[in-house]
Amino acid sequence: MSEENTEQVQDAQEVQAAPAATTPPTPEQALNAVASAARQARLTYDEHAGVDQCVKILAEAIGGGQ
């Protein structure tokens, strides 16, 4: 594993190990968190474009259009 991948795995494990927040995120906050993570992922241009399109569709569906 590369150093960067190792850091990502450690970060993910820390998030999973952290105690749950007292209040769950709103649907808009949850969508923004997932969109942010997807934008930081190593994806092809087409995959990023697909993620952006999905984010727009979901944002409209939950009424939190960006």
Side-chain angles (χ1 to χ4, degrees), residues 6-46:
T6 303
E7 289 175 7
Q8 289 175 347
V9 169
Q10 288 173 343
D11 290 344
Q13 290 171 344
E14 289 172 7
V15 169
Q16 291 173 353
T22 56
T23 20
T26 65
E28 292 86 1
Q29 290 170 328
L31 176 59
N32 288 335
V34 171
S36 176
R39 286 186 187 114
Q40 294 176 21
R42 289 184 180 219
L43 302 173
T44 66
Y45 174 82
D46 290 336

